[in-house]
Amino acid sequence: MLYAHIQRFSLLLLVKLFLFGSVCYSQDLIELERAIKFAEQKNDTLELSRSWYKLGIFHDKNGHWEESNHSLAQALIFAQSIHNHKGIAVVANYLASNYSQQGQSDSSIAYYSLALKAGVEYGDSSRLPIILMNLGDEYASRGEFINAANYAISAIRIKEHIQDSSNLAFFYQKLGEIYKQAGEKEKWEKYIWKAYKLVGNENYTSIKANAAIYNDLGGIAEGHGEPEQALLYYDTLIQIGEKNDYPLAIGIALGNSASIFKQQGNIDRALNSVLKSKEYIQKKGYAEIYDNNLLSELYLAKGNKTNALKYALQAVNHKSIDYNPEEKVRAYKSLYEIEKRNGNFENALFWNENFKQLSDSIRDKEIRTQILDLEISYQTEKKEKQIELLEAENRIKNERLKLGAILVIFLMLLIATILYVLRIRKNQARLKQNDLQQQVLRAQMNPHFIFNVLGSIQNFMIESDIKKAAGYLANFASLIRSTLQYSTSETISLADEIQMLKNYVELERIRDPEKFRYKFEMDDTLESEFIQIPPMMIQPFLENAIKHGFQNSKKSGELTIKVVENEESIEFIIEDNGVGLGGKKKETAHHQSMAMNIFIERRKLIQKKIKKEFKYEIINRHDVNPDLSGVLIKVNLPILHL
């Protein structure tokens, strides 16, 4: 009776959870559709584009691809109507990714190309490498490896040129994968090892890139006849998946390990590993097909023809099988062997004919990949001849230039004089900037702040609260590391800037948790990793709010930091409910601190360099509404395109 009661309770709970999820989905959809109608009423084309884009993302995350494609297409139309090149690049890139996942390669390439053109017109150098790499990946899936490699190499060159190290390992890994598909094993290994050198540095790589790199290292070890080394790499891949809640990585590692166990003749261990893999894969295209083929082969090896046939049919009937010809051949071969053992010779003959036809076509593909080296060599030779022609033309031009030697010498002297004057001015500006950078570093790491932090860590240790002490120390170390790293940099990603601010505020709050509370608000669609801004400009305002705003306040402090993306800037809105600017502290609280003076000087230098003004505004909330206290600050930092 008790067991039956528990079953009924569990069933009711599942029903309620399903209904709750349905209600949440419906509410979110209604809100998004309401935003579109509101934008239509205001005739706000930009907001219409953004609202349709958000709806497209919503449908994609819920697995409704047709609705997602329609919504994104609407967003693209509105972005194009107002020549919003940034919006066109973002929407077209997302739409191209949708079509790629749906196997519509022509549409995918068309939209990636549109995104690339818009990105060039917008001048968004940080977004272009992603679009180029997506194009390269798409061409590789079609077997057009020269186009694929060219786009991938262009992506890496742009990142290296603008000194954008973010997730650089991913780009090396993807280029390596393209060479692998083209049969260029040496180049594949070269770029995978190049990517591997960046593993462990969070600025250069991501979790998914790390997983892909270790998966490739396992494949390289297998290719060199080192199965035990390959298994070690796959074990590391499993650890990455478990540590970072990335089930696909675990599933792929288990499937690859199963293949090695099969080669070693350990069928039971291989079968156990691949069955575990299927629990993590959950309908992930190639990985699912690979596991089904492997299961079919393993069950056939054990004499279980029923299960062998079941999984071979699942592999050959998979919706993505046509995009994985090697696995399709493998499935045909398994079906031929199974039907032959079952005595179904007509079916066996059918699968054998399919196997031979597809095998021949793949061999043709292998021949084409062997031609790849010849074609690349031809292109190189062609470029060398073009260089020789250019050198000949240059020699002729040099002969002509001799006639104007006197004029050239005069112009060179004039230019040298101008450059000398400019160099002196540039050195003066650099010295001033270096002095400001040192002042920023001293303001961030003033002894009073450091001693307070170390004192708090000491207190936690005296109270035997090791967990708090360790967490506090980790935050402090992260802040120190970031401060040292970015105090001499001209730019910082928005994501890194926000993380530094969070570390600083958390360190101030932990010392006296009752003093104030804080929260950060930012739009989920804001691509903070790809946005570059001047570093360490916001911390002085947070310091003033905490040290001056809440110092003499009798009530619990509330600090809110909002991050909003505008057309050419990122707006930080900082609001506190402290004592405000009233009384004797009006001047000292927000205008006369060392950090604020440094901010004003750095602002002048940045404005002079980028030829663009960026504004900040400090408002006493009491002046706007007598019932409020505290200060409202708005700082518009320019988005930097380097």
Side-chain angles (χ1 to χ4, degrees):
M1 290 296 293
L2 178 61
Y3 178 73
H5 177 72
I6 292 173
Q7 279 190 316
R8 286 196 297 273
F9 176 77
S10 300
L11 182 60
L12 287 171
L13 182 60
L14 286 171
V15 171
K16 288 180 179 180
L17 287 172
F18 172 77
L19 292 174
F20 176 74
S22 300
V23 169
C24 291
Y25 171 84
S26 300
Q27 288 176 344
D28 291 342
L29 183 60
I30 290 169
E31 287 297 322
L32 290 167
E33 291 176 342
R34 186 178 295 163
I36 292 172
K37 289 180 180 178
F38 185 66
E40 287 174 344
Q41 292 170 359
K42 292 196 304 178
N43 198 26
D44 187 343
T45 307
L46 179 61
E47 188 58 35
L48 273 169
S49 178
R50 289 174 174 172
S51 298
W52 277 108
Y53 175 62
K54 290 177 182 177
L55 183 60
I57 294 174
F58 172 81
H59 282 311
D60 177 42
K61 288 181 177 178
N62 285 280
H64 302 152
W65 281 354
E66 290 186 8
E67 291 86 347
S68 177
N69 290 347
H70 171 73
S71 300
L72 292 170
Q74 291 295 317
L76 188 59
I77 290 170
F78 286 116
Q80 289 174 316
S81 69
I82 57 175
H83 305 291
N84 180 7
H85 298 301
K86 178 182 178 182
I88 294 170
V90 172
V91 177
N93 186 64
Y94 203 116
L95 189 54
S97 176
N98 269 12
Y99 280 118
S100 178
Q101 293 179 59
Q102 296 161 35
Q104 300 184 40
S105 183
D106 290 340
S107 297
S108 177
I109 286 177
Y111 282 111
Y112 278 137
S113 300
L114 177 61
L116 181 62
K117 181 181 177 183
V120 171
E121 292 180 359
Y122 177 63
D124 188 355
S125 56
S126 63
R127 196 185 303 273
L128 287 177
I130 300 171
I131 300 171
L132 285 165
M133 187 56 76
N134 287 340
L135 261 171
D137 207 20
E138 194 62 37
Y139 273 114
S141 70
R142 295 157 62 106
E144 299 178 27
F145 300 120
I146 293 178
N147 279 337
N150 283 337
Y151 280 116
I153 291 169
S154 297
I156 291 172
R157 282 177 178 167
I158 290 175
K159 286 184 75 68
E160 292 176 341
H161 177 70
I162 65 176
Q163 297 182 344
D164 177 12
S165 61
S166 59
N167 210 10
L168 185 59
F170 163 78
F171 286 82
Y172 288 146
Q173 187 272 331
K174 292 301 289 184
L175 178 57
E177 281 288 331
I178 290 170
Y179 282 125
K180 176 188 175 183
Q181 293 177 65
E184 296 282 330
K185 296 297 175 64
E186 289 184 6
K187 291 183 179 179
W188 169 44
E189 293 185 20
K190 170 188 171 183
Y191 280 98
I192 296 305
W193 284 113
K194 197 170 183 178
Y196 175 69
K197 291 178 181 178
L198 302 177
V199 169
N201 189 323
E202 59 185 14
N203 292 327
Y204 293 97
T205 188
S206 64
I207 300 304
K208 289 188 177 181
N210 284 345
I213 291 165
Y214 276 103
N215 185 50
D216 278 326
L217 288 173
I220 290 170
E222 284 190 68
H224 288 293
E226 301 171 351
E228 297 303 324
Q229 183 63 44
L231 288 172
L232 289 175
Y233 285 127
Y234 294 142
D235 285 343
T236 303
L237 180 56
I238 291 171
Q239 292 172 21
I240 292 172
E242 291 173 343
K243 183 178 178 181
N244 298 282
D245 191 24
Y246 188 18
L248 181 59
I250 301 172
I252 290 173
L254 288 168
N256 290 340
S257 298
S259 181
I260 294 176
F261 298 146
K262 178 193 170 192
Q263 293 171 19
Q264 294 175 336
N266 196 337
I267 303 300
D268 289 332
R269 190 177 181 187
L271 192 58
N272 182 54
S273 185
V274 74
L275 287 172
K276 284 183 180 178
S277 170
K278 285 186 70 66
E279 296 174 9
Y280 291 98
I281 293 301
Q282 297 178 349
K283 300 182 179 179
K284 293 293 182 181
Y286 171 81
E288 187 182 13
I289 297 170
Y290 178 89
D291 280 358
N292 285 334
N293 272 330
L294 187 52
L295 278 170
S296 177
E297 292 165 358
L298 290 169
Y299 277 119
L300 188 61
K302 288 180 68 69
N304 189 335
K305 293 179 286 186
T306 302
N307 279 346
L309 180 62
K310 169 188 168 183
Y311 285 108
L313 288 173
Q314 285 185 17
V316 83
N317 291 322
H318 195 282
K319 61 183 180 181
S320 300
I321 190 66
D322 289 332
Y323 303 105
N324 299 280
E326 297 284 353
E327 291 301 315
K328 195 172 186 178
V329 166
R330 191 175 169 189
Y332 285 158
K333 185 178 180 181
S334 291
L335 286 165
Y336 162 69
E337 291 290 343
I338 295 164
E339 294 293 16
K340 186 173 73 170
R341 292 193 190 185
N342 282 331
N344 298 326
F345 299 113
E346 185 177 351
N347 288 343
L349 180 61
F350 170 78
W351 293 120
N352 189 45
E353 288 176 353
N354 279 282
F355 167 72
K356 287 183 177 180
Q357 288 176 5
L358 190 53
S359 295
D360 290 341
S361 103
I362 288 176
R363 278 197 293 273
D364 289 342
K365 179 181 174 182
E366 289 173 352
I367 293 169
R368 288 197 300 273
T369 59
Q370 291 171 11
I371 294 171
L372 179 65
D373 274 339
L374 296 175
E375 190 165 347
I376 290 174
S377 299
Y378 165 73
Q379 295 292 341
T380 303
E381 183 181 353
K382 187 177 178 182
K383 288 179 181 178
E384 288 174 352
K385 289 181 179 178
Q386 289 174 344
I387 291 170
E388 289 177 3
L389 288 172
L390 287 172
E391 288 176 348
E393 290 177 5
N394 286 335
R395 284 195 295 271
I396 295 170
K397 289 179 181 178
N398 288 334
E399 291 295 328
R400 292 174 181 174
L401 286 173
K402 289 179 181 178
L403 298 174
I406 296 174
L407 178 61
V408 170
I409 292 171
F410 173 76
L411 289 174
M412 287 178 65
L413 288 172
L414 180 62
I415 292 170
T417 304
I418 295 171
L419 289 174
Y420 178 72
V421 174
L422 290 174
R423 184 178 179 183
I424 291 174
R425 292 181 180 177
K426 187 175 181 181
N427 287 337
Q428 290 173 343
R430 186 183 294 111
L431 287 171
K432 186 174 182 181
Q433 184 174 354
N434 289 340
D435 182 56
L436 279 174
Q437 287 171 346
Q438 293 298 319
Q439 291 182 45
V440 169
L441 185 59
R442 289 195 296 270
Q444 286 279 95
M445 300 175 62
N446 66 79
H448 181 69
F449 172 70
I450 292 175
F451 290 149
N452 282 341
V453 171
L454 293 176
S456 298
I457 294 171
Q458 184 181 38
N459 288 337
F460 286 137
M461 295 180 71
I462 290 171
E463 294 170 2
S464 297
D465 196 340
I466 303 302
K467 187 175 181 181
K468 282 188 178 180
Y472 199 30
L473 184 59
N475 282 351
F476 180 54
S478 178
L479 180 63
I480 295 295
R481 183 169 58 252
S482 299
T483 301
L484 293 173
Q485 180 180 354
Y486 293 111
S487 62
T488 57
S489 298
E490 293 187 2
T491 68
I492 186 175
S493 72
L494 178 58
D496 288 337
E497 177 73 15
I498 291 172
Q499 186 57 49
M500 283 180 64
L501 295 176
K502 286 180 178 179
N503 281 342
Y504 171 74
V505 176
E506 184 62 21
L507 286 170
E508 290 285 4
R509 191 194 70 82
I510 290 176
R511 291 196 299 111
D512 187 0
E514 302 300 325
K515 185 177 180 181
F516 72 96
R517 295 179 296 179
Y518 73 93
K519 61 179 177 179
F520 279 78
E521 297 179 3
M522 183 174 68
D523 190 347
D524 291 339
T525 61
L526 188 62
E527 297 180 335
S528 57
E529 294 85 357
F530 305 110
I531 296 173
Q532 297 290 319
I533 58 174
M536 302 168 67
M537 299 292 286
I538 303 302
Q539 186 268 346
F541 297 103
L542 299 182
E543 178 184 350
N544 283 335
I546 296 168
K547 291 186 177 180
H548 301 294
F550 299 142
Q551 188 173 22
N552 297 314
S553 179
K554 296 179 181 180
K555 57 185 177 182
S556 177
E558 297 284 346
L559 178 63
T560 302
I561 303 100
K562 297 180 183 177
V563 184
V564 181
E565 181 181 16
N566 296 324
E567 188 65 28
E568 289 290 336
S569 66
I570 296 296
E571 184 176 33
F572 283 81
I573 303 170
I574 303 159
E575 192 169 6
D576 68 71
N577 66 340
V579 297
L581 301 177
K584 297 179 180 179
K585 295 191 178 289
K586 182 173 183 179
E587 293 299 322
T588 60
H590 289 279
H591 295 282
Q592 300 302 318
S593 74
M594 181 180 70
M596 277 302 300
N597 289 334
I598 296 170
F599 168 82
I600 292 168
E601 289 300 315
R602 289 185 68 208
R603 174 174 171 264
K604 290 178 183 177
L605 276 177
I606 292 169
Q607 287 182 150
K608 186 176 181 180
K609 183 174 182 179
I610 67 175
K611 304 292 189 281
K612 189 185 298 182
E613 182 182 7
F614 72 87
K615 300 177 181 179
Y616 75 100
E617 185 178 7
I618 301 174
I619 302 169
N620 195 18
R621 296 175 71 201
H622 183 75
D623 296 340
V624 179
N625 186 343
D627 295 332
L628 299 177
S629 65
V631 176
L632 174 65
I633 300 168
K634 297 181 180 180
V635 184
N636 282 275
L637 295 182
I639 296 176
L640 301 179
H641 306 289
L642 300 178

